[in-house]
Amino acid sequence: MTDPRRALPSVDHLLREPAIAALLDGAPRDAVVAAVRDTVDAARRRRAGPPEDWADEVRERLTLRTGRSLRPVLNATGVVLHTNLGRAPLARAALDALAAVGAGYSTLEFDLHAGVRGSRADHCRALLSELTGAEDGLAVNNAAGGLVLALNTSAVGREVLISRGELIEIGGSFRIPEILEKSGARLREVGTTNRTHLSDYRSALSGETGAILTVHRSNFEQRGFVATPAPAEIAELAAGTGVPWLCDVGSGLLIDLAPWGLGGEPRVPDAVAAGAAVVIFSGDKLLGGPQAGCLAGRRELVAGCRANPLARALRADKLTLAALEATLALYRDPALALTEIPVLAMLTRTPAELAAQAGRLAAACPAELHPAVRPGESAVGGGSFPGAVLPTTLVALDAGGLGPDGLALRLRLGNPPVVARVGDGRVLLDPRTLPPSAYGEIGAALRHALDLAGGQRVP
Ligand SMILES: *Cc1c(COP(=O)(O)O)cnc(C)c1O
């Protein structure tokens, strides 16, 4: 028997094949040649020998070589602020703003009236004050950076009082004690893990104290025998001693979501009203904008942050500022914010809407997968509302011989990739995080996954 691997075509021969030569129209010659070489090498190593269709395999390998690594995906997990999938999708207005600003020149650091240099820190400044009630505002690259900036500005070389119950890890190797030390301030723990009283802060205050820091326990809940002073009490204590109270609220919630069953998350305007010297929050969590860190607070402290050389290292770029300004502007009309900001729209979808959407999504799925709708739960994600239960309707798919993990893998490797949940032996799709305009694409992705399965087709 002859070894099929012996009769492999040469790279030159393959490059003359019309279907492969056509790839040269869309990709650099070097990349196509390399993809052909990869294909021939793989065929040589493979027991089965040459591929059924050379051009198909070359095309796939070319995509592997030249494809982007940062790509859009369809999020069918129902986790609204999915940190691994990029947290908040942007509002139309934010996308328009960043495209317009990115496509040309802008007023990033230019004062049109005076015709001279302006300040990038002026963007979003008035909106942050207006929407939070604070005297002044500043946007930097992310909230972790905002916290470092506020700590460094107010307490470098001095003590920062923080409750032992708030020495937390946010995720992605962001731990409050480590961040605090890196800012140049010194950690001074007060209280206990479950109970911290105002008197604990009071007795730790000294000439060495640079600031009091409170951090919202974003990603977990404490229940049982617990105590934390009320925000107004901390504000009063801080004001009485002239020490600034820095309040890290994390998620940047500006409006009340309690009517949708989402209560308990601190709102930025409430923290400002309670008397925080500066409130620090993310742009891409519940605020629903781009990755950014927002500071809203007292004039002198925010001015100090702005003038701190660290602000240069942590500055936000023009695309961020454009998208953040457009997102913030939507909050001037809270009803508009709820419909236009995707995170808020997804969180406030009613169970009835979700049931109807699940029905339409199921109808777009191939019948071989026996799509069935069933009640389920979505999650807010992004370390916000950790205990919240968001009722939804899921579409459950029976992957047959392919198995749920096999189908989920093929969906992830598709184009566009679809990220789904697996549970109870089914692939589960949650319409909460899918735009209805994507149902057709989901159906096509599922059919493609089944075609790839070939002989393994579901019975
Ligand atoms: C998420 C979070 C941060 C970090 O925000 P980034 O914008 O991701 O840097 C800081 N503090 C709290 C309480 C958070 O929840």
Side-chain angles (χ1 to χ4, degrees):
M1 241 187 129
T2 56
D3 186 336
R5 285 173 287 185
R6 288 260 171 82
L8 294 177
S10 70
V11 169
D12 282 338
H13 175 87
L14 285 171
L15 283 168
R16 282 193 298 272
E17 283 222 359
I20 294 175
L23 297 175
L24 290 166
D25 292 341
R29 184 174 175 83
D30 284 356
V32 178
V33 172
V36 170
R37 198 161 281 140
D38 288 351
T39 309
V40 176
D41 286 349
R44 188 169 295 127
R45 283 193 308 271
R46 220 174 6 219
R47 269 179 160 276
E52 259 174 50
D53 186 330
W54 283 95
D56 262 1
E57 186 161 333
V58 171
R59 197 174 301 114
E60 237 167 71
R61 288 182 184 276
L62 183 63
T63 310
L64 273 180
R65 279 187 166 267
T66 59
R68 304 245 163 95
S69 90
L70 182 55
R71 300 161 62 197
V73 306
L74 290 171
N75 174 12
T77 65
V79 181
V80 176
L81 291 168
H82 199 303
T83 298
N84 302 142
L85 301 183
R87 287 194 186 157
L90 296 179
R92 186 74 252 164
L95 293 172
D96 290 346
L98 73 83
V101 164
Y105 300 98
S106 64
T107 55
L108 181 63
E109 293 181 358
F110 190 69
D111 180 331
L112 289 173
H113 279 282
V116 297
R117 189 192 168 129
S119 168
R120 123 177 13 225
D122 285 345
H123 305 291
C124 303
R125 187 174 178 179
L127 269 167
L128 283 170
S129 310
E130 180 188 325
L131 298 171
T132 65
E135 289 173 0
D136 202 354
L138 174 67
V140 295
N141 188 55
N142 60 7
L147 180 58
V148 171
L149 183 60
L151 285 166
N152 181 271
T153 303
S154 56
V156 69
R158 300 208 282 155
E159 284 182 355
V160 172
L161 310 189
I162 179 169
S163 160
R164 289 194 168 88
E166 296 174 7
L167 295 173
I168 60 174
E169 174 172 314
I170 305 288
S173 70
F174 174 35
R175 293 176 150 194
I176 294 294
E178 289 165 10
I179 281 278
L180 203 147
E181 298 286 347
K182 285 287 174 203
S183 75
R186 274 181 288 131
L187 178 69
R188 174 77 192 266
E189 301 175 23
V190 306
T192 62
T193 303
N194 57 329
R195 288 170 74 83
T196 299
H197 307 287
L198 194 65
S199 55
D200 294 320
Y201 288 99
R202 192 182 294 119
S203 55
L205 279 166
S206 74
E208 282 297 289
T209 312
I212 295 175
L213 172 65
T214 61
V215 180
H216 176 55
R217 287 184 278 259
S218 292
N219 46 8
F220 69 105
E221 283 183 315
Q222 268 195 339
R223 286 166 195 268
F225 191 54
V226 295
T228 313
E233 292 179 307
I234 295 184
E236 199 184 317
L237 178 68
T241 52
V243 165
W245 166 32
L246 317 180
C247 178
D248 177 0
V249 297
S251 81
L253 184 63
L254 292 178
I255 54 183
D256 188 10
L257 294 180
W260 290 273
L262 294 167
E265 190 79 9
R267 290 181 339 120
V268 180
D270 294 340
V272 170
V278 70
V279 183
I280 300 130
F281 53 102
S282 274
D284 57 350
K285 293 185 184 168
L286 291 172
L287 185 76
Q291 179 192 300
C294 300
L295 305 178
R298 300 236 179 89
R299 197 166 290 115
E300 326 77 64
L301 184 49
V302 176
C305 290
R306 198 178 287 123
N308 187 327
L310 264 181
R312 171 63 181 80
L314 295 166
R315 75 183 188 184
D317 90 310
K318 62 183 176 182
L319 301 182
T320 299
L321 292 170
L324 183 61
E325 183 177 33
T327 307
L328 289 171
L330 291 169
Y331 280 96
R332 285 189 166 133
D333 177 354
L336 192 67
L338 282 168
T339 55
E340 287 297 307
I341 296 176
V343 165
L344 298 181
M346 290 188 273
L347 289 175
T348 57
R349 278 188 189 160
T350 64
E353 268 176 87
L354 289 160
Q357 283 163 344
R360 259 175 275 137
L361 177 57
C365 296
E368 297 107 294
L369 294 169
H370 308 292
V373 296
R374 58 159 76 163
E377 284 171 13
S378 323
V380 180
S384 309
F385 294 109
V389 172
L390 292 173
T392 189
T393 305
L394 302 170
V395 176
L397 303 172
D398 179 354
L402 198 50
D405 293 314
L407 180 59
L409 170 67
R410 285 194 164 88
L411 286 175
R412 290 199 303 276
L413 298 182
N415 188 23
V418 178
V419 182
R421 261 194 277 165
V422 170
D424 301 331
R426 298 281 184 275
V427 167
L428 302 171
L429 308 176
D430 187 337
R432 186 185 295 275
T433 46
L434 290 169
S437 59
Y439 296 171
E441 273 181 297
I442 300 263
L446 288 165
R447 272 186 296 277
H448 186 65
L450 289 177
D451 286 346
L452 279 183
Q456 285 187 312
R457 208 174 253 287
V458 216

